[in-house]
Amino acid sequence: MPELPEVEHATAIARRIAVGRTITSVRVLHPSQRRSLPARAAKSLIGDRILEVQRRGKSQRFRLASGRELHVHFRMTGDWLEPGTSELPRTVRAVFGFDDGSRLVLDDPRALSVVSLCASPAADDGLGPDALDPGLTATAFAAALATRRIPIKVALLDQGVVAGIGNIYASEALWRARLDPRTPSNRIDPSALRTLLRAIRTTLTAALKRQERYYNSNATAEEYSRFAVYDREGEPCRRCRSRIKRITQAARSTYYCPKCQH
DNA sequence: CGCGACCTGCAT
DNA sequence: ATGCAGGTCGCG
């Protein structure tokens, strides 16, 4: 589920429910989440108030009145349940209750989500500039990529380069930019890098819009998850009709068009 | 750098 | 039964 567009949507849900509210209960149901948010820390949240919820790459930060920060990362399958869900699925991993009776419910079948409490906002979180940050310049992007010789697809997944690009949109953006995912990141010329940065933004903003349409209408998940190359091995490229190829990079699937990506 | 580990559900 | 999944860390 969660790439940047899904996390953005989840953040909006969390804001609507939690901002301005005081936490009245915290239930951590799975040992995996207990590890990142031990009972002591969970208990200490009670009485604290949520000032703001921000997205940073694919993680969410809840700024608390106490000055602390609650960090939530969905990893592979986490999500906030839409408000109004009465019957909780058995895959619920944590429940935060608020003073107005509302609650924020972490649903995560694989239980890989990380929920942690930080005493203060981390100065350096290891994340690069956010993929949708308008302040991210082509120059900074190029500088971050120049230091490594790893394949560009792998570099895009490195959250320290740019925060927020996941496996799907890395492939999608490279297809849009007509760039071969295997190209070493330090061997891409400035003009191609500008194209790639634009492609990343276009791909992500288009995904955000498609997603909004999906939530506001009765479009199917099928429709929403129609990608140019991702999960389309063997199917025709939308530009040139060649067969989409799948390769493995850094143990993840990469999809690309062998004919029009160079 | 590549790869297993972390977890569970789902498709084959 | 096996292998795979949209993420990340830590190991060798």
Side-chain angles (χ1 to χ4, degrees), chain A residues 148-156 158 161 181-186:
Chain A
R148 357 206 158 191
R149 69 184 82 193
I150 54 176
I152 183 63
K153 156 67 162 36
V154 180
L156 292 182
D158 183 338
V161 172
R182 298 164 300 178
T183 314
S185 69
N186 60 349

Side-chain angles (χ1 to χ4, degrees), chain A residues 153-185:
Chain A
K153 156 67 162 36
V154 180
L156 292 182
L157 289 181
D158 183 338
Q159 304 298 299
V161 172
V162 176
I165 306 172
N167 201 38
I168 293 180
Y169 296 116
S171 282
E172 294 293 295
L174 287 166
W175 177 83
R176 188 181 281 271
R178 301 177 188 246
L179 211 53
D180 188 319
R182 298 164 300 178
T183 314
S185 69

Side-chain angles (χ1 to χ4, degrees), chain A residues 94-258:
Chain A
V95 183
F96 300 85
F98 300 102
D99 52 353
D100 66 341
S102 65
R103 59 191 183 176
L104 197 50
V105 182
L106 174 65
D107 184 35
D108 183 355
R110 285 177 73 179
L112 294 173
S113 285
V114 175
V115 182
S116 58
L117 186 57
C118 301
S120 59
D124 180 21
D125 50 17
L127 295 180
D130 196 87
L132 289 182
D133 179 354
L136 168 57
T137 62
T139 315
F141 185 53
L145 292 172
T147 60
R148 357 206 158 191
R149 69 184 82 193
I150 54 176
I152 183 63
K153 156 67 162 36
V154 180
L156 292 182
L157 289 181
D158 183 338
Q159 304 298 299
V161 172
V162 176
I165 306 172
N167 201 38
I168 293 180
Y169 296 116
S171 282
E172 294 293 295
L174 287 166
W175 177 83
R176 188 181 281 271
R178 301 177 188 246
L179 211 53
D180 188 319
R182 298 164 300 178
T183 314
S185 69
N186 60 349
R187 282 200 9 229
I188 303 172
D189 67 62
S191 104
L193 280 185
R194 275 196 300 278
T195 304
L196 176 57
L197 184 54
R198 256 183 280 124
I200 289 166
R201 288 175 168 146
T202 314
T203 304
L204 289 174
T205 44
L208 277 165
K209 279 183 201 143
R210 260 187 305 139
Q211 180 184 242
E212 243 167 85
R213 235 177 295 133
Y214 164 58
Y215 283 116
N216 297 335
S217 74
N218 38 19
T220 63
E222 277 287 296
E223 240 168 284
Y224 167 60
S225 50
R226 226 184 274 145
F227 302 110
V229 286
Y230 184 81
D231 205 21
R232 294 193 59 226
E233 182 180 16
E235 291 176 45
C237 170
R238 287 183 189 169
R239 277 192 303 248
C240 72
R241 315 310 292 169
S242 329
R243 307 275 133 200
I244 301 301
K245 258 184 94 168
R246 180 171 77 88
I247 58 173
T248 298
Q249 296 181 292
R252 323 284 314 273
S253 286
T254 299
Y255 297 84
Y256 72 107
C257 172

Side-chain angles (χ1 to χ4, degrees), chain A residues 47-81:
Chain A
D48 214 336
R49 194 161 46 89
I50 309 215
L51 302 180
E52 190 180 5
V53 188
Q54 302 167 320
R55 179 188 62 73
R56 245 316 247 133
K58 286 171 269 187
S59 80
Q60 296 167 73
R61 283 146 197 225
F62 294 69
R63 280 192 41 231
L64 304 173
S66 63
R68 302 178 297 172
E69 264 188 8
L70 184 71
H71 292 192
V72 177
H73 196 300
F74 287 156
R75 298 287 181 96
M76 296 284 265
T77 52
D79 203 0
W80 299 123
L81 241 40

